[in-house]
Amino acid sequence: MDIKILDVAAKAGVSSATVSRVLNNNENVSARTKFKVMQVIREMGYQPNTAAKNLRSQKTSTIGVIVPEINNSYFAEIVKGVENKAYASKFKVIICDTENSLEKEQEFVKLLLNKSLDGLVLVTPLMTNEEICHLADLHYAIGVVGRCVEHEQIPCVVTDNVSFSKEVVSHLVERGHRHIAFLSGYADAVDSYERLEGYLKGLREHHLPFRPELIENGNFNERGGYEAMMRLVKRQAGFTAIYTANDEMALGVYWACSELGIRIPEQLAVVGVDNQRIGRYITPGLSTVSQPKTRMGRAIVEKLLARLEHQELVGERIVMIQSELIIRGSSNHYIC
Amino acid sequence: MDIKILDVAAKAGVSSATVSRVLNNNENVSARTKFKVMQVIREMGYQPNTAAKNLRSQKTSTIGVIVPEINNSYFAEIVKGVENKAYASKFKVIICDTENSLEKEQEFVKLLLNKSLDGLVLVTPLMTNEEICHLADLHYAIGVVGRCVEHEQIPCVVTDNVSFSKEVVSHLVERGHRHIAFLSGYADAVDSYERLEGYLKGLREHHLPFRPELIENGNFNERGGYEAMMRLVKRQAGFTAIYTANDEMALGVYWACSELGIRIPEQLAVVGVDNQRIGRYITPGLSTVSQPKTRMGRAIVEKLLARLEHQELVGERIVMIQSELIIRGSSNHYIC
DNA sequence: ATGAAAGCGCTAACAC
DNA sequence: GTGTTAGCGCTTTCAT
C-alpha cells in the first residue's frame, strides 16, 4: 500500500495535522518542524491522495472544457490556452469533444453536478443560453467563449466581430471596391450574425448602399462557400469583392473562381476570417482576420479561477479580444 | 447542501447500502426495491459525489494524455481518438500539453502517483524509456503512442514507418526515379530513424545503391526542410526525387524549389508523410502518407482500459497501425 | 434481499 | 505551535 499522511507523521514524530499544515503551507508551523516534515516527505516519496483531499476540501482543482471538435485548429488553440493557464494555477483540465452532439455536451455537464469539476468552460456551446444560465443560477462556475450569455455570474470571452468586419469593409473600400458581397455561415450562429452586422455598418460608414442580392449563406464550410459563390455569380449581381465569414468558405470561393476562370484579386478580392494556416500557402495568399485563440483560452480560465477563488465574478464580465486584419494577395490590389 | 445517498435512502425507505447497490448495478436487489430507489433518485436529482466514490473505491475513471503540443493537428487527432474512446467507456480524460517541456511532462506524471489518474497515455514522450519502464514496474498503467517501449506491461501503438517508407520508394522507382534523396527529422527521433531504415530497405529491394550524399536532416520543420534542400542542391549530387520524413519539411522543399526555379514534379518528385491538410491545397498537390491518427488514439485507450480492468495487459502488446500512401501531383509523373 | 457499521486518507475546528 | 478528533460521502464486508 502507499504511504499515507499518518506514516509521514509517525516517522517525523509529529501529528498528521502538522503534516497537513506543512503540505498546505499553513503559517502555524515552526520552521524547524516544517523542515523536518518536508525531509521525511521527500525521503518516503509521499504523495497526498487526491480523492481524500477532494472529498475533505470539497474542491477538485479541476475544470472542464467543452469544444465542438478538438481536431480543428481553432478549438485546439483555445484548448491550449485553457490548459496552459490552468496548469500555471495547478488546475487540471478535463476535455470534452462533443462532435457537435448536444447530448454529449449535456452528459459532460453532469461532471459539475457530481463534483468532478470545480468549473466549466464552454466554447461555442450547443446548449441554449437558458440552460447555461440555469447552471449559473445553481452557483456552478461557468465560463463561455465565443458567445455572450446574459448572466451576472458568467464571464464571456468574445471576439470583436462587428469591429473587425467594419475594418474589412474599410480595407476593401480603400482598394476601390464599391460592390462587396458577403458570405455568412449558418444563419443562427452569433459569429455569422455579428459579422454581417459589421459588414452592414461598414457599408453605411462609407455611404455604400446595402444590396441584399450580394448576401449568401455558405454554412461555414468549403463546399458551402463554393456553392454560395456559384449562386452569387449566376445571379449576375455584379461585385468586385467578397467578404466570407470564415476562411473555409473563402477556400470554396477560390475553388469556384478557379472553375469559372475568375482571377483573384484582379477580378475579385477575397477576405476571410480565422487566419488558417492554409491561407498563407494558397495562391494568392488569403487576406484574413486573425483571432488570438490561445489568449482567449487563457482569458476565460483567468476569469473562471478568479470567480472560484472569490466566490463571485471579479472585474469585467465580458472580455472582448481584439483581432487583427492580415492583408495578403487576395485583396491587395487597387481597382479604379 | 447537496443531496447525499442517505437522503435518498431515507426517502426510499431503505438503507444507504441498498441505494449504493442500485447505483452500481449490484445483482442482489429485488426488482421492486430497485425501481423504487431509481424513482427517488430521479425525483431528488441525486448525483453521487465523485470524490467520495473515488476515495472509497480507489479508482477515478480518469486517464491522462500527454502530448507535445495540442495545437498541432497530428496530436489533436490522437487526442480526439483518446477522448472519444474514453468517453464511450465512461472515463474522463485530463490533458497535458507539454510544449515540449520534459519538466512539465514529469510534473504531470505525478497525477498517477497521487491517484488523480487510473492510467496515462504518453504520445511521443520526452521521457526516457527507462523512466517510463520504471513507472510500469511500480504497476502504474501506462500506454505509449508513437514509440516502442520494451516492457511487458506497456502497450504501444506505433506506425509502420519501415513498411510505408519502402512503399514510397517503390512508388518513386515505378515512376522511373533512380536517385532518391531522403530528408530525415531530428536524428534521435524514432520516426526519423525508422523512415530512414525503410528508405534504405526500399532502395535495396530495387537494387539501387545507397548514396550518403543524398541524405539530409531537416528537423521536421518547414525552415529545416528548406535549408536541407538548399544544401542538397548546392552539393550537386544529382537526384530526381526526394522523400521527406514529414509534410512540414516537404513544404520547405517546395519553398526552396520555387526560389531555385525547380519544377515539381517534372524536375523533382516530392513525397512527404502526415497527410496534412495543406498538402491538398498547394500546387502541385503533395503526395504523402496518411496515418489514421484518431484510430491510434482509440487503440491505445482500448489497450489501457483492458489493462485496467484485468490488472494486466491482454492481447497484443504492440499495435501497428497501417498507413496509406496518397499519390498526388508532386510525384505522379513518369520520367524516362 | 437488506441493513449496520467500518473505514477510504485527508483537513480543520477545537483544545492545549 | 502542535495534537486530537470528527467527519467529508461513499462502498463493502458481515450479519441477519
Side-chain angles (χ1 to χ4, degrees):
Chain A
M1 212 43 218
D2 302 271
I3 294 130
K4 32 201 97 157
I5 202 169
L6 272 173
D7 302 326
V8 175
K11 188 154 183 187
V14 296
S15 73
S16 67
T18 298
V19 178
S20 176
R21 287 191 189 99
V22 171
L23 287 168
N24 298 287
N25 282 310
N26 188 305
E27 309 281 79
N28 298 323
V29 189
S30 74
R32 232 174 112 270
T33 312
K34 185 168 178 173
F35 181 80
K36 173 71 182 163
V37 170
M38 300 253 270
Q39 191 178 331
V40 173
I41 287 176
R42 229 174 300 115
E43 267 175 39
M44 306 182 82
Y46 167 71
Q47 290 285 344
N49 181 297
T50 306
K53 195 179 164 119
N54 290 352
L55 175 58
R56 183 57 231 230
S57 62
Q58 306 280 38
K59 288 180 199 158
T60 62
S61 296
T62 306
I63 59 173
V65 56
I66 301 184
V67 292
E69 27 175 12
I70 183 79
N71 58 329
N72 169 311
S73 75
Y74 181 82
F75 298 115
E77 298 267 0
I78 291 176
V79 167
K80 187 191 186 73
V82 166
E83 196 275 351
N84 289 180
K85 187 73 193 176
Y87 178 78
S89 309
K90 302 195 180 305
F91 267 70
K92 287 153 274 179
V93 178
I94 296 186
I95 42 157
C96 177
D97 167 299
T98 65
E99 300 183 285
N100 282 300
S101 149
L102 174 59
E103 205 181 327
K104 186 170 176 189
E105 185 174 299
Q106 289 169 330
E107 189 63 31
F108 191 82
V109 168
K110 290 198 182 138
L111 296 185
L112 264 182
L113 312 189
N114 69 30
K115 305 284 185 293
S116 288
L117 260 31
D118 288 345
L120 182 57
V121 171
L122 300 167
V123 184
T124 58
L126 297 164
M127 279 185 288
T128 62
N129 282 2
E130 284 70 39
E131 289 176 289
I132 298 172
C133 286
H134 179 64
L135 288 169
D137 284 340
L138 265 28
H139 297 103
Y140 289 110
I142 311 274
V144 177
V145 175
R147 175 157 119 198
C148 202
V149 176
E150 284 307 329
H151 188 291
E152 272 277 290
Q153 290 299 320
I154 299 183
C156 299
V157 169
V158 295
T159 48
D160 53 336
N161 284 313
V162 176
S163 92
F164 72 65
S165 296
K166 279 164 62 178
E167 202 183 331
V168 168
V169 172
S170 291
H171 157 63
L172 291 169
V173 169
E174 206 207 317
R175 293 296 189 274
H177 299 280
R178 304 190 57 77
H179 299 282
I180 304 168
F182 177 75
L183 240 56
S184 77
Y186 350 103
D188 59 341
V190 194
D191 286 340
S192 232
Y193 175 77
E194 290 181 353
R195 286 167 200 176
L196 172 59
E197 185 184 331
Y199 159 81
L200 296 175
K201 286 194 173 160
L203 292 182
R204 280 194 58 182
E205 248 175 32
H206 293 280
H207 311 293
L208 292 174
F210 159 53
R211 299 175 50 201
E213 70 273 24
L214 292 187
I215 310 288
E216 265 295 348
N217 185 312
N219 280 325
F220 279 136
N221 61 53
E222 187 176 357
R223 148 149 260 124
Y226 169 85
E227 289 168 355
M229 177 66 185
M230 287 306 200
R231 271 177 267 137
L232 233 31
V233 169
K234 192 171 289 171
R235 199 174 291 153
Q236 299 196 300
F239 57 98
T240 60
I242 186 164
Y243 169 37
T244 65
N246 73 354
D247 285 353
E248 213 61 43
M249 294 190 289
L251 291 174
V253 169
Y254 269 56
W255 173 15
C257 286
S258 98
E259 283 194 5
L260 299 169
I262 296 173
R263 275 173 295 124
I264 302 174
E266 295 83 356
Q267 296 174 273
L268 182 73
V270 182
V271 179
V273 177
D274 273 355
N275 192 23
Q276 279 204 33
R277 192 168 170 215
I278 291 180
R280 260 177 32 223
Y281 290 85
I282 52 180
T283 311
L286 176 63
S287 292
T288 188
V289 176
S290 166
Q291 296 168 289
K293 288 151 276 192
T294 304
R295 205 192 311 156
M296 290 167 72
R298 301 182 79 86
I300 195 65
V301 170
E302 205 163 324
K303 283 286 162 192
L304 197 63
L305 296 191
R307 150 93 176 67
L308 245 24
E309 191 176 349
H310 303 98
Q311 332 279 19
E312 61 171 351
L313 211 137
V314 292
E316 294 298 316
R317 189 174 77 82
I318 308 292
V319 180
M320 187 171 284
I321 302 273
Q322 205 69 27
S323 305
E324 187 195 356
L325 174 61
I326 297 176
I327 300 171
R328 300 208 185 92
S330 71
S331 71
N332 203 5
H333 178 261
Y334 290 84
I335 66 166
C336 34
Chain B
M1 214 40 222
D2 303 89
I3 294 130
K4 32 200 98 158
I5 203 168
L6 273 174
D7 302 327
V8 175
K11 188 153 181 187
V14 298
S15 75
S16 66
T18 299
V19 177
S20 177
R21 289 192 187 97
V22 171
L23 286 168
N24 297 289
N25 283 312
N26 188 305
E27 310 280 81
N28 298 323
V29 189
S30 74
R32 232 173 112 270
T33 312
K34 185 169 180 174
F35 181 80
K36 174 70 182 165
V37 170
M38 300 252 271
Q39 192 177 331
V40 173
I41 286 175
R42 229 174 300 116
E43 267 176 40
M44 305 182 81
Y46 169 71
Q47 291 285 346
N49 181 297
T50 305
K53 196 180 163 114
N54 290 351
L55 175 56
R56 185 53 231 234
S57 62
Q58 305 281 36
K59 287 178 198 158
T60 62
S61 295
T62 306
I63 59 174
V65 56
I66 300 184
V67 291
E69 27 177 9
I70 182 78
N71 59 327
N72 168 313
S73 74
Y74 181 82
F75 299 115
E77 298 268 359
I78 291 176
V79 168
K80 187 191 187 74
V82 167
E83 196 274 352
N84 288 181
K85 187 73 194 174
Y87 179 78
S89 309
K90 301 193 180 305
F91 267 70
K92 288 151 272 177
V93 178
I94 296 186
I95 42 158
C96 178
D97 168 299
T98 65
E99 299 183 286
N100 282 302
S101 150
L102 174 61
E103 205 182 328
K104 188 170 176 188
E105 186 174 297
Q106 290 170 329
E107 188 64 32
F108 192 82
V109 168
K110 290 199 182 139
L111 295 185
L112 264 183
L113 313 188
N114 69 30
K115 305 285 185 290
S116 288
L117 261 30
D118 289 345
L120 182 57
V121 171
L122 299 168
V123 184
T124 57
L126 298 165
M127 277 184 291
T128 63
N129 283 2
E130 285 68 39
E131 289 175 289
I132 298 173
C133 286
H134 179 64
L135 289 169
D137 284 339
L138 266 28
H139 296 102
Y140 289 109
I142 311 274
V144 177
V145 176
R147 175 158 118 197
C148 203
V149 176
E150 285 308 327
H151 189 291
E152 273 277 290
Q153 291 299 321
I154 300 183
C156 299
V157 170
V158 294
T159 48
D160 52 338
N161 284 313
V162 176
S163 92
F164 72 66
S165 295
K166 278 164 62 180
E167 202 184 331
V168 167
V169 172
S170 292
H171 157 63
L172 290 169
V173 169
E174 204 207 318
R175 292 296 188 275
H177 298 282
R178 303 191 57 79
H179 300 283
I180 304 168
F182 177 76
L183 239 56
S184 77
Y186 350 102
D188 58 342
V190 195
D191 285 341
S192 234
Y193 175 77
E194 291 182 352
R195 287 168 199 175
L196 172 59
E197 184 184 331
Y199 159 81
L200 296 176
K201 287 194 172 161
L203 291 182
R204 279 195 59 183
E205 248 174 34
H206 293 279
H207 311 293
L208 292 174
F210 159 53
R211 300 175 49 200
E213 71 272 25
L214 293 186
I215 309 288
E216 264 294 346
N217 185 313
N219 278 325
F220 279 135
N221 61 52
E222 188 176 355
R223 147 148 261 125
Y226 169 85
E227 290 168 355
M229 177 65 185
M230 287 306 202
R231 271 178 267 137
L232 234 30
V233 169
K234 193 171 291 172
R235 198 173 294 156
Q236 297 194 301
F239 55 100
T240 61
I242 186 164
Y243 169 38
T244 65
N246 74 353
D247 285 353
E248 213 60 45
M249 293 191 290
L251 290 175
V253 170
Y254 269 56
W255 173 17
C257 286
S258 99
E259 283 195 5
L260 299 169
I262 297 173
R263 275 171 297 124
I264 302 172
E266 295 83 357
Q267 297 175 271
L268 182 71
V270 182
V271 179
V273 177
D274 272 356
N275 193 22
Q276 278 205 35
R277 190 168 172 216
I278 290 180
R280 261 176 31 222
Y281 290 85
I282 52 180
T283 309
L286 176 63
S287 292
T288 189
V289 176
S290 168
Q291 296 167 286
K293 288 151 275 190
T294 305
R295 204 190 313 155
M296 291 167 70
R298 301 181 78 87
I300 196 65
V301 170
E302 206 164 323
K303 283 286 164 195
L304 197 64
L305 296 193
R307 150 93 176 68
L308 244 24
E309 191 176 349
H310 303 100
Q311 330 280 20
E312 62 171 352
L313 212 137
V314 292
E316 294 298 316
R317 190 174 79 81
I318 308 291
V319 179
M320 187 171 283
I321 302 272
Q322 204 69 26
S323 304
E324 186 196 358
L325 174 60
I326 298 176
I327 299 171
R328 300 208 184 92
S330 69
S331 70
N332 204 3
H333 179 262
Y334 290 83
I335 66 166
C336 32

